[in-house]
């Protein structure tokens, strides 16, 4: 019995137990993240399904992101714009961004007027006018560009930096929400596709959870194999030969 106790791998057991706690904890955390992410996706889909409402009313919601709104922007079809490099349906091009202070409001918003492919040279004309334009838009938050995003080149941007775009357009401090036009403010340019990009929700938490739990199961299997091997009696071939 004392020999069996001496052979019991105490340090290995402590190490394996600590690793199991960490691996199972990471797996459980990913399961919790999965529920949280699914809740976000369901919330975004529910918000997108709501009918459009005046922008001022939509902004009073607890979280207006992904909501559709009705807005009046004066002079938008001929307003100055900057170009944001983008991809739509696998095709490179630019999204045209203008500034707008909606009718009845004082806050500046950036309006994404739509996508135009690089193969298309046509662009909206720029002309000072105050003609009103009513349209439906979708609200999206605009996180700042990453540290590796190239700086803008004149009127061409490579990241959705709302503050820099607004400054380039000579507008005031913009809202955190970008207004994506759902109908083109420039129907005369058929190649200008007005649309909100798909929601960028990466939901790989189930796979991560299965990976952590799988590693924990493999570790248990390794530990059991070690114990079985330690308890297995030595083979006869390895036993010392008796002297003749």
């Amino acid at each position: 019995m004392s020999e069996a106790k001496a052979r019991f791998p105490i340090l290995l057991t402590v190490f394996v137990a600590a690793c199991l706690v960490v691996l199972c904890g990471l797996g459980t955390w990913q399961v919790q993240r999965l529920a949280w992410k699914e809740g976000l996706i369901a919330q975004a889909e529910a918000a997108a399904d709501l009918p459009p409402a005046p922008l001022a009313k939509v902004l009073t919601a607890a979280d207006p992101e992904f909501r559709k709104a009705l807005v009046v922007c004066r002079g938008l079809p001929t307003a100055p714009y900057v170009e944001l490099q983008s991809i739509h349906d696998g095709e490179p091009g630019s999204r045209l961004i203008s500034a707008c202070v909606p009718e009845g409001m004082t806050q500046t918003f950036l309006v994404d007027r739509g996508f135009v492919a690089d193969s298309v040279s046509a662009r909206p004309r720029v002309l000072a006018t105050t003609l009103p334009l009513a349209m439906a838009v979708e609200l999206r938050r605009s996180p700042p560009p990453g540290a590796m995003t190239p700086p803008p080149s004149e009127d061409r941007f490579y990241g959705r930096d709302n503050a820099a775009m607004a400054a380039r357009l000579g507008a005031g401090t913009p809202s955190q929400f970008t207004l994506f036009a759902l109908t083109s403010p420039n129907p005369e340019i058929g190649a200008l596709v007005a649309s909100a990009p798909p929601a960028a929700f990466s939901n790989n938490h189930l796979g991560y959870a299965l990976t952590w739990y799988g590693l924990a199961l493999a570790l248990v299997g390794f530990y059991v194999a070690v114990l079985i091997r330690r308890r297995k009696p030595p083979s006869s071939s390895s036993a010392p030969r008796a002297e003749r």
Side-chain angles (χ1 to χ4, degrees), residues 87-191:
I87 295 177
H88 180 76
D89 289 341
E91 188 173 11
S94 301
R95 301 192 76 95
L96 307 186
I97 314 296
S98 295
C100 166
V101 178
E103 194 83 354
M105 303 182 68
T106 58
Q107 173 73 68
T108 297
F109 289 82
L110 292 185
V111 180
D112 189 313
R113 294 162 63 174
F115 173 88
V116 59
D118 284 341
S119 58
V120 178
S121 60
R123 293 292 187 273
R125 61 176 182 166
V126 177
L127 179 68
T129 176
T130 58
L131 292 176
L133 173 70
M135 61 178 179
V137 297
E138 184 172 312
L139 280 70
R140 295 286 186 88
R141 283 189 176 86
S142 300
M148 302 301 293
T149 302
S153 175
E154 296 184 351
D155 290 340
R156 188 169 184 82
F157 285 73
Y158 301 94
R160 199 176 284 277
D161 188 338
N162 278 12
M165 289 180 181
R168 184 68 181 174
L169 293 167
T173 302
S175 167
Q176 63 172 320
F177 294 104
T178 295
L179 307 181
F180 285 84
L182 299 180
T183 54
S184 176
N186 298 94
E188 73 279 6
I189 302 178

Side-chain angles (χ1 to χ4, degrees), residues 36-104:
W36 167 75
K37 185 62 67 67
E38 289 178 341
L40 282 183
I41 295 174
Q43 181 180 348
E45 292 175 347
D49 289 339
L50 292 174
L55 178 60
K57 181 179 180 181
V58 169
L59 289 172
T60 62
D63 187 359
E65 188 169 20
F66 300 105
R67 285 287 307 272
K68 294 179 177 64
L70 301 174
V71 63
V72 176
C73 283
R74 289 188 172 273
L76 182 64
T78 59
Y81 59 86
V82 296
E83 299 194 17
L84 172 64
Q85 182 174 310
S86 184
I87 295 177
H88 180 76
D89 289 341
E91 188 173 11
S94 301
R95 301 192 76 95
L96 307 186
I97 314 296
S98 295
C100 166
V101 178
E103 194 83 354

